Amino acid sequence: MAIKAVISGALGRMGGTVGRIISEAHDLELVGGIDVKKGSLFGTEVVPATGIDAFFKEKKPDVLIDFSVAAAAVENIKAAARNNVALVVGTTGFSPAQRKEIESAVEGKVPAVISSNFSVGVNIFWKLVREAARQLGDYDIEVTEAHHRYKKDAPSGTAKTILDILDQELGEREKVYGRVGATERKDEIGVHVIRGGDIVGDHSVLFAGNFECIEISHRAYDRAVFAQGAIRAARWIVGREPRIYTMQDVLGL
Ligand SMILES: NC(=O)c1ccc[n+]([C@@H]2O[C@H](COP(=O)([O-])OP(=O)(O)OC[C@H]3O[C@@H](n4cnc5c(N)ncnc54)[C@H](O)[C@@H]3O)[C@@H](O)[C@H]2O)c1
Ligand SMILES: O=C(O)C1=N[C@H](C(=O)O)CCC1
């Protein structure tokens, strides 16, 4: 039996990409979308978020894949949990309070994969950053990310995950977001955000020592890498124990 999927943020950049790949897959069935905009998604109905409970009852999806905006995603996640629908959440930009709301809605109720980046490459990149931080904690560290001109949140969710990894390995360090004027470098972590054009998603972490630098970087060329990862997570999550998983769990990393 095909896995039935609904996409939230259906008419956005990621929603469209995920929708296209699901509509071409034999083991998945796209049963509709949720969005504030009007439209349809590969021949399926897209309804406003206000009708989400009725839509779930009618379509009986196995999984909701959410690529929308933070405030909307929190409400869509609560609705999925109320209706016993598994979750794949790619939306970024959650505040710590929103993250807590999500945890209490999901834990013990439905299984959910939540990741700031579903690309396989980025999940490997995070592991390399962790290893470099373990070995090079006394080097100066600078994180840089670049995305398209329409991105709503900064720094990216992926960059925030990088900062979490660095904090876990090195202890919490001050973050300096861009620099201007006189600077005196201490052991802060510099964070730099670029927005422009149609950049799909670039991240790099520079470890700078005396006489050498190591730079670990990832560049996405097409949103399909995120969409394929999210779909891999959707296949994996249905039927799991009701708790929050990461993409590292999906990949067995
Ligand atoms: N985790 C990952 O791998 C990954 C990859 C790419 C993007 N993202 C994140 O996914 C999110 C979406 O990115 P995008 O480029 O597709 O953005 P987008 O602006 O193109 O699409 C977002 C869509 O959500 C819709 N929306 C707004 N309110 C809604 C609601 N209440 N219910 C349902 N839909 C609603 C908007 O109308 C829009 O169509 C962002 O947070 C982005 O950072 C994550
Ligand atoms: O295009 C976006 O928006 C992306 N968002 C994610 C993030 O914030 O890290 C992943 C990369 C693309």
Side-chain angles (χ1 to χ4, degrees):
M1 273 252 291
I3 294 172
K4 291 184 183 179
V6 165
I7 300 171
S8 154
L11 302 177
R13 281 173 286 273
M14 280 303 298
T17 311
V18 174
R20 175 178 54 76
I21 297 174
I22 292 184
S23 70
E24 290 164 358
H26 298 299
D27 60 334
L28 297 162
E29 184 190 353
L30 183 64
V31 294
I34 316 282
D35 206 299
V36 288
K37 294 187 257 179
K38 285 195 166 69
S40 64
L41 186 66
F42 296 92
T44 67
E45 196 184 354
V46 175
V47 301
T50 46
I52 193 167
D53 285 283
F55 197 59
F56 282 154
K57 284 186 175 69
E58 182 199 339
K59 302 289 179 186
K60 298 189 176 21
D62 300 298
V63 61
L64 175 70
I65 303 177
D66 188 291
F67 284 95
S68 59
V69 292
V74 173
E75 295 311 313
N76 296 336
I77 290 166
K78 287 184 191 165
R82 279 197 297 278
N83 289 277
N84 205 24
V85 178
L87 281 153
V88 172
V89 180
T91 301
T92 57
F94 296 116
S95 67
Q98 286 173 326
R99 182 73 206 192
K100 280 209 172 72
E101 252 187 282
I102 293 172
E103 281 162 17
S104 65
V106 167
E107 286 289 353
K109 310 266 179 23
V110 285
V113 185
I114 304 180
S115 179
S116 61
N117 201 307
F118 279 100
S119 109
V120 173
V122 161
N123 279 268
I124 303 293
F125 161 84
W126 281 329
K127 278 186 76 85
L128 298 174
V129 169
R130 187 181 294 283
E131 182 56 24
R134 276 183 191 151
Q135 305 298 333
L136 304 170
D138 56 336
Y139 282 38
D140 294 330
I141 305 175
E142 300 281 311
V143 175
T144 305
E145 61 101 328
H147 285 87
H148 53 94
R149 62 182 295 124
Y150 300 106
K151 184 159 175 61
K152 292 195 170 73
D153 54 320
S156 68
T158 309
K160 287 182 181 168
T161 304
I162 292 169
L163 297 175
D164 288 344
I165 291 169
L166 295 172
D167 280 351
Q168 286 157 20
E169 295 304 325
L170 304 170
E172 211 163 304
R173 290 192 183 176
E174 188 193 351
K175 314 297 179 298
V176 173
Y177 295 88
R179 289 190 185 82
V180 66
T183 63
E184 187 194 345
R185 209 188 195 296
K186 300 203 173 99
D187 76 343
E188 78 268 15
I189 295 173
V191 184
H192 309 279
V193 173
I194 294 161
R195 291 286 175 269
D198 62 355
I199 300 170
V200 174
D202 298 350
H203 292 90
S204 88
V205 185
L206 174 72
F207 293 85
N210 288 333
F211 314 118
E212 66 172 5
C213 288
I214 295 183
E215 191 163 8
I216 305 173
S217 60
H218 176 272
R219 175 166 290 174
Y221 291 100
D222 194 302
R223 287 185 178 82
V225 292
F226 311 129
Q228 280 160 349
I231 290 167
R232 187 164 171 174
R235 289 188 174 105
W236 184 89
I237 195 66
V238 174
R240 300 259 163 196
E241 288 296 304
R243 64 178 181 83
I244 294 176
Y245 300 86
T246 66
M247 192 58 186
Q248 308 263 318
D249 296 319
V250 176
L251 298 173
L253 294 173

